[in-house]
Each structure stands twice: as C-alpha cells, then as structure tokens.
C-alpha cells in the first residue's frame, strides 16, 4: 500500500511515506543504543490502551532516525545528533508491519497526515536518551469492497485509490485488491473521498479504469464521507473491458513492417488521469496493441526510439476509442532526411567518437562518428541545419568544437540543406586540436582523493559559475579534454565542496572574483592544475522572526568580507528549513553572513549581526573541521515601495519590471506591474535604493527604462506614490563580425552604456547570424561596447571594441547599422629554463594585467592568466585581452625549488618590464632563466 500526493502544493510532503504506487515501505530495523556524542528518543506506542507492535516511529531534526515498536509497544531511536526533533508515528498498511486501522500521529498527540505548522520538538542532548515520548493512536476510517470484472470474476491486482482533499493538497490512499478481489483502504482521516479503480497493480487482462460508482470519470463519481472511525463497506467495482487500439506500422516507401517503433496514446483533451496515458512498441511484424483505454479521443504518436533508430519521421493520428471495442489504426512512416560525412583530424586520419549535432529552428538530430570517421544523422525533417562537431562522445585525444564548414563560431557556420527522403552527403569536418587540462587532487597528507567534482569553466560561463563541464576524480586525477583554446577557471569541489572538503579554485583562490584563469592552448596538455583540499569548517544557526517563529525559505549566504553581490555563485549557501541552516564546508577565515528571503519578500535583508549593510556586518571566524554555531538571525519586517507606471499619455503599463537595488546592502528586489500599472515591492531593508523600470517582455518599441532614480526606505515603513512615466523605447541594432575573414559571430555581448545620468544600461547577445538588437532604451546618447569582458556571457576569443562616437537614440527610434568587426585576442609565449640549455617543465607563467580597470557594475577586475610550461620549457598564454601585462614565473604547476621572478629578470612586480599585447598577435620571446 502507499500514500501518494496527487496534486495541490508541490512542496507538500509526507516524510518517509511517499513512494511508488503498489509498493510497501520497508520496515526499518531497531536502532542500537546511541554511541558517545549522539543522543536518542524513546517511548511507548499504544492503541485503545493496548501496546502496538510494528508501528513506524520517525524523528526529523538536525538528523534523521527511524525504528519500529516492539511487541510491548516500546521503541528507541539512537544515533541522533543533538538538537530538537519532530516525531511521527505511522501504522496501518502504510509503514512497518502493523496492519491496524490507526491514524498517523505527531508528538504529542496531534493526529494529522501533514506535519503540524508549529510542531512540538523533542530536545535531544549528547549521549542522553529523551524518554517518555509516547503515542496513543486513534482509529481511522475505512473503505472496503470487492473488485470484479463485468462478468463477475473476482480480480486481484486492481488498484483501489481513495482520493481525499486535505487542506489544499489532494492525496490518494492506494491498496491493491487481493486474490478474492477484496480490498480495504484504512487509516483514513475525516473527509470526502472519491474511489478510483485502475488495472495497474498487477491485474491480468484488458480492463478500463472506473470510479465508484460505475463512472468513467471523477466528475460523475459518487463521493464517500468518512467521519471518525467509520467503516464503509460494499464500495465495489465491476471493471468493463478496456478499449483497444491495434494495428501495424510499416515503412511508407517499402511497405515493410517496422519493429521497435514507440506507440503513445494520450487523451486529446482534458487532464489525463492515472493510466490514461498508454504506450507500447511494435513487434517484429510491425504490430502493436494498446489496451485498457476509456472512451474518448486519443492522439496516437508513432516514433522511432524503442529499439529502432532508423531513418523514420514521426507520424501522429487522432482516433476515438470506446470501452469494450477495438479500433484498428495502421501507420506508414515516411523516410527522413539524412546528413552524412566523414570526420578526420588535421592530418587526414579518421576520428572516432566525435559528437555530431544537426539543428534547425524546429528539428534536431545527433550521431557519433564510427571507427572510419563516418557518421549519419538520420530522421531529419526538410529544412536548413547548422551542423556542429565536438569531442566528448568517446574520442581519444582532444578536439576543439567547430561548425560546418570549418568555422569556430556558430554565427559563421555554413547552412546545410536537408530534404526528407534524400541524403545530403559530404558534410565533412577536419577536427583541429583542442586544449586539455588535468591534474591531481589530494588531501593535506598527500592522499589522492577520488570522487571530487572538478569544474572547468570557460569565460563565457564564469559569471554564472555553473559546473557545466565537470569531471569526477579517480585515484585523485581528472582530465578535461576537448576544450576550445582559451582561458578557463578550474573549480575544485564545484562551488559547494565535496565530502567535508572546502571548495577552492586553482592556486587556493576562494572564489570567482579572485580565481586565476588557466591557459589551454590548442594541442597542449596542461597537466599541473592540481589542488590540495582541506577539511572545511561550517557555520550554523537558527533564523526566526520577532515572534520567535522559526522561518523556512530564508537564503543564508556566507562570503568573505568585501565580496561582490552574494548569491549561490559567490559562496556556499543554504535555504533554511524550520529555521535551521548549516553552511559549508568553508575554507578557514572570516566570513560575513547574509539572510535574505528566497521567495516571499516579507522580511528585510540583513547581515549578521542585525546589520543593514555588508560593510557593517560582524565577521564570523571559520576554522578547519569545526562548526561555528549560534550565528542566528531575527528577521524583521521590511519596508515597501509602491506606485504606478504609465506611458507618456498617462495610460497604465502592465508587465513592467520594477527593480530595487541597494549596493551597500548587496541586496535587490523586483516586482511586476499589474494590469492597472500598479506595483508594490516589499521586504526592503532600510537603505538607499536605485530603481529601474523596464519592459519584462523585452518587446521592441514598448517602453524605455529609467535607472539611477533613487528612493530611501526606512523599514518597516511604506513609501507611497513612487510613480514613473515611461517614454517610447528606442532600439540600437547591428551585426558583429570577427576574425581575419570577418565572419558573423554569435554569442558576443553588446552593451549600451548611457552617457547621461538617468538612463538604464542595455545589454544583449548576438544571435546565430551575428546580429543583435538592444531594445527598451530611453532617449539619449550611448556608448556601445562589443565583447565586454565583464558581460555575463562575454564569450571569448576576440578583443573588445567600443563605438568611436556616441550613438544618439530618439524616443521610439530604431538606430541600425551599429556594427563591429572584432580582432582576435592576443597571446604571450616564451621558454623557461634553469640554465641556458635545460628546460623547466611545470613552471607557472602568469600574465598579470597592469592597472586593470574595474567593471563599473560589479567592481570585478580582469583575472590573472596562467600557463604551464611543457617538457621543452615552452608556454603560451592565449586569450589575452589587448593591453599591458607583467609576467610572473613561479612554482605551483608541477615543479618546485625555484625562486619566483618576473620578466625581464626582475625580483618583484614593481620592477618587472611591461609587455604590451596587441590584438590578433602573439608576443614571443618572453623567456626566463630560473634560479634555485
């Protein structure tokens, strides 16, 4: 038996109870006495004054424990971490081995299916057992009956589901009928239930679902009222034969039967009920049969993929089904288009295991190259496709991603025309070498660590800090191959840490703002990108409001003092559950802790200890392997700002995003205007906010946003009448080209920075053909930047560029032709030796920007870039933005024993020689002779 959530609030749950239909919760074993340092909970469970055997007892708090009552009704849960626990008791058929009709209960004596809003929590102390946590369970309601066929044959394996509404959450209490067709749904709470009988718990034969009494839908079902320990009998079912859809699937061109085709039937309208969705696959002779259908119209779809991946396009048909009737529906699958070719390396050798993807606006296909380098992407619809070739599908070596025909950027990819029933051949690729980054991850004692997540993040993804390209260590080593040549940040622990080891970035950097970037040149294995991980520390505490209510849904973030905007990407975080949080593992040091509503903006953002700004926050010391506890917060009501947004004629503007940003507090809020143009933003801490109004839908020529308009909020007071009148928006558009061939470049960030003081910054990215549109711009003058390195998706490989003169945008105007042709990034190369004739491998060569300009939005600066010297002592620093650099030579990439020095034979950064790196060029000869 099982209890499953049917609908309602997705966040609701029954701890330890929800599981697949038709399965029973396994009986937990009794816990031994708690070891030193842990505590326990013990008590006795009775029903009608008698001890109850086999009742499940669960404890939820800082840890979790579960056990079963003994024949005397006694239980003891051990191994619990000190803290406070909610305790529940579950019997009936839903947990353990007690089959009595007992209602679920929460200590102390709260009979409820869901956890009470404010449960009484049982304290647990170290090395002690909290006793007397007893339960006197109450009888529940019961619905019972017999399931049969229409001809009167008893049916075993029919699911009987009693669906009841508890609060706003609909639950189904399900059991399977026994050998004689009988069933009993027990432990029911007071309420109204609808009973459905479905043939999905093992019954043999073709039967259609049915609702009590004799109804094909819930809309016409008869409800059953349960009150107290009431038992309702004779809730029987006579299941009719289900409808059948059957037929044969053949190839349209050859009329041959097709095996392994997926067949799906879905009701055409309405929400499918349990079992309404049907699926099967075709047999060797192409035949199929869908059974157990209720009366109604179905959409039947025939797709490849159930053992057959041939060149067949999907077919969809609509058919009416009726219970007790059979409908014949045959299908003839037309051939798709095929794109094929051969993949080789730069020397003409075939390459196996290259991923091939063909995509258009409404279709997608994929394949993998074979041992002879050949591939075929099949089952494509007629259209124009972009074909991408990338490593990672089993190839050896390392290859950079490219697009047909030999293009490194999708914006300049050649389009491939495919026609259904035909093969477009000759779509070949000569793969170019990619970069490779590898290293060793150990603990402080030098032991290799397996199972550690290592994320290698390119510049275009660094702002999001998403572990997209991640690898797990094996015997301490990891390998990231098939990298496009460029700069990468390497994250050990994938932001949140692994198995109590604190996360870090290469060379022990604590976060993205300080992370060094590793140079991955084409065809080079950069092997010394290693890390020594330390056991991290933790921060824990409790978050309540002023009424001492423990708050869930508060985001708690720990960051080093002075870190930019806190969020999951800048530091470990946790969302409170029943007030508690436990952040880590963290590197040792000082942190400031922010508390902010994640979802409902009711409370004001604050910093520990009760500070409005990050600067005023009290630092929290974190030590290795220890928990700094008691970092609590009492959330207070925030202030609010409300107003109305209209256009120039005074008409209300709906769907306008209104954003409030407090730079000092590192906090932001946003809301959306209603149909009447009104908005209210809540949960604002005391502070000065910059307000931006912008079109949420990013529509052309709708409204122009205004920024840098400020409002002061004093929590918990309200600011009323903060209205805004928006002018018609302007647009800047153009195309971005790049490289020596000046080909279109997709994914380039374009930013419009207003030269006035009251307008919002606009940003976008170029599309597949290199074109862009900056919409929602207020009238005024703008400087337009292309490939800005501080953009959230800056891309890489090309030097940034700005317009030479301001772009004037009139109200509602469209300024087109603001184009750019970007030159490639620069590079630095050289050779490192320890005497004129002995090369040094594993030395770090680091390019450090000279006086990097900070990003005006977030305060970031350009990162250092690191290259590792190869066996011959050579290195190349690729992906450098044009500008001035100093180069440092230091250990840490695999070698040891040499003194740190700067180019040219300088002992410090202050005396180092400046190197000017131009666009689209490599500065060679930046050599060094190291000293021990």
């Amino acid at each position: 038996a099982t209890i499953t959530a049917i609908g309602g609030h997705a966040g609701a749950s029954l701890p330890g109870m929800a599981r697949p239909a038709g399965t029973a919760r396994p009986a937990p074993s009794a816990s031994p006495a708690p070891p030193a340092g842990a505590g326990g909970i013990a008590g006795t469970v009775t029903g009608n004054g008698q001890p109850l055997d086999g009742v499940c007892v669960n404890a939820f708090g800082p840890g979790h424990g579960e056990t079963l009552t003994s024949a005397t009704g006694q239980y003891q849960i051990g191994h619990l971490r000190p803290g406070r626990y909610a305790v529940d008791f579950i019997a009936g058929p839903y947990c353990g081995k007690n089959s009595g009709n007992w209602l679920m209960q929460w200590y102390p004596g709260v009979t409820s299916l869901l956890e009470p809003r404010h449960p009484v929590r049982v304290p647990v102390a170290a090395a002690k057992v909290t006793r007397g946590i007893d339960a006197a369970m109450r009888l529940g309601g019961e619905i019972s009956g017999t399931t049969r066929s229409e001809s009167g044959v008893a049916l075993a394996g029919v699911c009987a589901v009693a669906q009841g509404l508890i609060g706003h959450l609909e639950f189904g209490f399900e059991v399977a009928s026994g050998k004689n067709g009988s069933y009993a749904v027990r432990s029911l709470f007071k309420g109204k239930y609808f009973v459905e009988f479905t043939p999905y718990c093992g019954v043999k034969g073709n039967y259609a679902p049915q609702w009590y009494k004799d109804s094909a839908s819930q809309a016409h079902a008869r409800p059953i009222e349960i009150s107290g320990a009431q038992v309702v009998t004779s809730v029987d079912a006579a299941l009719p034969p289900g409808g059948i859809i059957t037929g044969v699937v053949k190839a349209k061109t050859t009329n041959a039967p097709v095996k392994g085709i997926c067949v799906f039937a879905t009701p055409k309208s309405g929400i499918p009920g349990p079992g309404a969705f049907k699926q099967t696959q075709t047999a060797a002779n192409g035949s199929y049969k869908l059974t157990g259908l209720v009366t109604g119209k179905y959409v039947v779809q025939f797709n490849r993929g159930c053992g057959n991946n041939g060149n067949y396009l999907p077919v969809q048909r609509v058919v009416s089904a009726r219970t007790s009737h059979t409908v014949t529906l045959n299908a003839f699958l037309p051939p798709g288009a095929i794109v094929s070719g051969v993949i080789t390396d730069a020397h003409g050798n075939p390459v196996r295991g290259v991923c091939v993807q063909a995509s258009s606006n409404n279709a997608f296909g994929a394949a993998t190259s074979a041992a002879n380098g050949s591939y075929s992407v099949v089952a494509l619809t007629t259209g124009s496709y972009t074909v991408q070739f990338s490593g990672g599908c089993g190839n050896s070596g390392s290859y950079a991603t490219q697009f047909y025909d030999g293009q490194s950027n999708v914006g300049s990819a050649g389009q491939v025309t495919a026609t259904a029933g035909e093969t477009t051949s000759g779509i070949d690729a000569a793969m170019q070498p990619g970069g490779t980054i590898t290293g060793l991850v150990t603990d402080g004692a030098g032991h290799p660590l397996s199972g550690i997540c290592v994320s290698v993040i390119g510049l275009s993804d660094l702002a999001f800090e998403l572990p997209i390209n991640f690898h797990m260590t094996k015997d301490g080593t990891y390998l990231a191959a098939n990298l496009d040549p460029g700069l990468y940040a390497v994250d050990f622990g994938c932001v949140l840490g692994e198995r109590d080891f604190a996360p870090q970035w290469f060379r022990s950097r604590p976060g993205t703002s300080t992370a060094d970037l590793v140079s991955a040149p084409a065809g080079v294995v950069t092997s010394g990108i290693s890390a020594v991980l330390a056991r991290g520390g933790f921060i824990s505490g409790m978050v309540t409001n002023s009424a001492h209510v423990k708050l869930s849904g508060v985001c708690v973030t720990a960051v080093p003092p002075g870190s930019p905007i806190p969020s999951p990407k800048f530091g470990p975080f946790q969302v409170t559950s029943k007030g508690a949080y436990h952040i880590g593992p963290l590197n040792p040091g000082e942190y400031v802790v922010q508390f902010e509503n994640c979802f409902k903006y009711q409370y004001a953002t604050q910093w520990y200890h009760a500070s409005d700004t990050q600067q005023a926050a009290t630092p929290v010391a974190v030590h290795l392997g220890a928990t700094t506890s008691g970092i609590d917060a009492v959330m207070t009501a925030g202030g609010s700002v409300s107003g109305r947004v209209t256009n120039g004629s005074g008409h209300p503007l709906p769907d306008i995003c209104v954003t409030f940003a407090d730079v000092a507090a590192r906090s932001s809020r946003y809301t959306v205007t209603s149909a009447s143009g009104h908005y209210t933003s809540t949960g604002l801490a005391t502070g000065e906010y910059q307000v931006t109004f912008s079109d949420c839908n990013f529509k052309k020529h709708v409204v122009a946003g205004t920024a840098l308009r400020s409002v002061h909020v004093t929590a918990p007071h309200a600011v009323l009448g903060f209205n805004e009148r928006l002018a018609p928006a302007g647009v800047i558009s153009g195309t971005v080209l790049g490289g020596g061939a000046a080909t279109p470049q997709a994914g380039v960030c374009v930013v419009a920075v207003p030269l006035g003081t009251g307008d919002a910054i606009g940003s976008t990215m170029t599309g597949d053909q290199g074109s862009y549109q900056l919409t929602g711009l207020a009238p005024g003058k703008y400087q337009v930047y292309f490939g800005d390195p501080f953009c959230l998706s800056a891309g890489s490989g090309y030097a940034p560029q700005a317009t030479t003169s301001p772009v004037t945008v009139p109200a509602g105007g469209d300024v087109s032709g603001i184009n750019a042709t970007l030159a490639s990034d620069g590079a630095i190369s050289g050779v490192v030796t320890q005497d004129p004739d002995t090369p040094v491998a594993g030395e770090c060569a680091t390019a450090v920007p000279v006086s990097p300009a900070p990003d005006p939005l977030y305060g970031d600066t350009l990162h250092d870039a690191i290259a590792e010297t190869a066996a011959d002592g050579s290195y190349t620093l690729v992906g450098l933005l044009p500008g001035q650099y100093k180069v440092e030579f230091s250990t840490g990439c695999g070698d040891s024993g040499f003194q740190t020095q700067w180019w040219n034979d300088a002992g410090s950064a202050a005396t180092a020689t400046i190197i000017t790196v131009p666009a689209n060029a490599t500065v060679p000869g930046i050599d060094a002779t190291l000293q021990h």
Side-chain angles (χ1 to χ4, degrees), residues 422-511:
E422 299 180 8
T423 298
T424 302
S425 59
I427 309 304
D428 305 331
M431 304 297 290
Q432 301 302 308
T436 302
I437 296 175
T438 184
L440 177 67
V441 182
T442 63
D443 61 16
H447 301 128
L449 296 175
S450 294
I452 299 296
C453 179
V454 182
S455 182
V456 179
I457 306 175
L459 282 178
S460 58
D461 298 314
L462 184 59
F464 298 104
E465 198 172 287
L466 298 175
I468 297 172
N469 186 7
F470 66 91
H471 311 268
M472 305 304 292
T473 58
K474 182 179 181 181
D475 298 327
T477 63
Y478 73 94
L479 177 70
N482 303 304
L483 301 175
D484 294 336
L487 296 174
Y488 293 84
V490 182
D491 171 20
F492 301 93
C494 292
V495 181
L496 300 180
E498 294 280 347
R499 303 201 321 267
D500 293 338
F501 290 101
Q504 62 174 259
W505 298 75
F506 180 54
R507 298 214 296 189
S508 301
R509 304 303 192 210

Side-chain angles (χ1 to χ4, degrees), residues 753-777:
V753 178
L755 301 182
T757 58
D759 298 326
I761 291 175
S763 66
T764 189
M765 286 194 304
T766 57
D768 285 350
Q769 303 303 314
S771 61
Y772 75 90
Q773 275 194 338
L774 283 161
T775 61
L777 299 176

Side-chain angles (χ1 to χ4, degrees), residues 343-389:
I343 300 174
T344 61
D345 61 19
H347 305 290
N349 302 310
V351 181
R352 178 179 185 174
V354 171
C355 314
V356 185
Q357 296 178 348
S359 58
S360 66
N361 291 333
N362 53 14
F364 174 84
T368 301
S369 60
N372 63 355
S374 65
Y375 76 90
S376 291
V377 181
V378 302
L380 298 174
T381 57
T382 298
S384 181
Y385 288 82
T386 299
V387 182
Q388 174 182 305
F389 306 91

Side-chain angles (χ1 to χ4, degrees), residues 78-99:
H79 301 283
L80 294 177
R81 291 170 51 189
R84 304 183 72 85
Y85 289 78
V87 182
D88 71 12
F89 307 89
I90 311 171
Y94 306 117
C95 187
K97 58 184 182 181
N98 187 299
S99 59

Side-chain angles (χ1 to χ4, degrees), residues 252 623 834 905:
K252 186 174 183 179
H623 305 282
Q834 57 178 316
D905 294 327

Side-chain angles (χ1 to χ4, degrees), residues 80-446:
L80 294 177
R81 291 170 51 189
R84 304 183 72 85
Y85 289 78
V87 182
D88 71 12
F89 307 89
I90 311 171
Y94 306 117
C95 187
K97 58 184 182 181
N98 187 299
S99 59
N101 185 24
W102 305 106
L103 293 176
M104 180 177 173
Q105 186 178 116
W106 295 81
Y107 180 80
V110 179
T111 301
S112 172
L113 183 65
L114 302 178
E115 181 175 331
R117 185 174 181 181
H118 303 298
V120 174
R121 295 189 175 272
V122 176
V124 173
K128 293 183 179 180
V129 176
T130 303
R131 301 187 181 278
I133 309 305
D134 304 332
M137 303 189 74
R138 296 170 48 200
L139 288 171
E142 178 179 317
I143 297 174
S144 64
T146 303
T147 58
R148 302 179 183 276
S149 68
E150 276 191 337
S151 61
V153 177
L155 297 178
V158 174
C159 307
V161 185
Q163 295 189 14
L165 192 65
I166 300 176
H168 294 289
L169 186 63
E170 187 180 25
F171 273 91
F173 297 75
E174 176 185 289
V175 297
S177 59
K179 290 183 179 180
N180 61 356
S182 64
Y183 76 91
V185 184
R186 299 190 176 96
S187 302
L188 297 177
F189 289 81
K190 178 182 178 180
K192 181 170 65 175
Y193 293 85
F194 294 90
V195 181
E196 184 184 21
F197 303 94
T198 59
Y200 311 119
C201 288
V203 67
K204 296 179 180 179
N206 172 37
Y207 299 99
Q210 183 184 93
W211 293 80
Y212 181 78
K213 183 175 183 182
D214 300 327
S215 173
S217 67
Q218 185 177 8
H220 299 94
R222 179 186 298 179
I224 298 172
E225 296 283 349
I226 293 293
S227 178
Q230 180 181 4
V231 177
V232 180
T233 61
S234 301
V235 180
D236 304 329
L239 272 61
I244 296 174
I245 300 176
T246 187
V248 176
V249 178
K250 296 182 178 182
K252 186 174 183 179
T253 54
T254 64
N255 205 38
V258 184
K259 178 185 177 181
I261 296 299
C262 309
V263 186
F264 303 95
T266 307
K268 185 178 179 182
S269 60
I271 301 174
F277 176 85
K278 296 288 186 176
Q279 71 177 80
T280 188
Q281 64 188 57
T282 57
N285 62 355
S287 65
Y288 73 92
K289 179 185 287 187
L290 296 166
T291 62
L293 299 168
V294 298
T295 299
K297 286 189 176 181
Y298 287 82
V299 176
V300 182
Q301 184 149 351
F302 304 88
N303 293 330
R304 56 196 286 271
C306 288
N308 189 318
N309 290 310
N311 183 36
Y312 302 104
L313 292 178
V315 169
Q316 181 174 292
R317 297 285 187 268
V318 177
V319 64
S320 295
R322 291 175 58 192
T323 57
S324 306
H325 287 72
T326 298
V327 176
T328 300
L329 180 65
N330 300 322
F332 296 87
L333 304 184
I338 299 176
V339 172
S340 66
V342 177
I343 300 174
T344 61
D345 61 19
H347 305 290
N349 302 310
V351 181
R352 178 179 185 174
V354 171
C355 314
V356 185
Q357 296 178 348
S359 58
S360 66
N361 291 333
N362 53 14
F364 174 84
T368 301
S369 60
N372 63 355
S374 65
Y375 76 90
S376 291
V377 181
V378 302
L380 298 174
T381 57
T382 298
S384 181
Y385 288 82
T386 299
V387 182
Q388 174 182 305
F389 306 91
S390 58
C393 287
N395 63 286
S396 59
S398 180
Y399 297 98
T401 296
Q402 65 173 262
F403 300 85
Y404 183 78
D405 183 22
Q407 301 298 316
S408 60
N409 187 282
V410 65
S412 52
Q415 294 298 294
V416 176
T417 299
T419 303
E422 299 180 8
T423 298
T424 302
S425 59
I427 309 304
D428 305 331
M431 304 297 290
Q432 301 302 308
T436 302
I437 296 175
T438 184
L440 177 67
V441 182
T442 63
D443 61 16

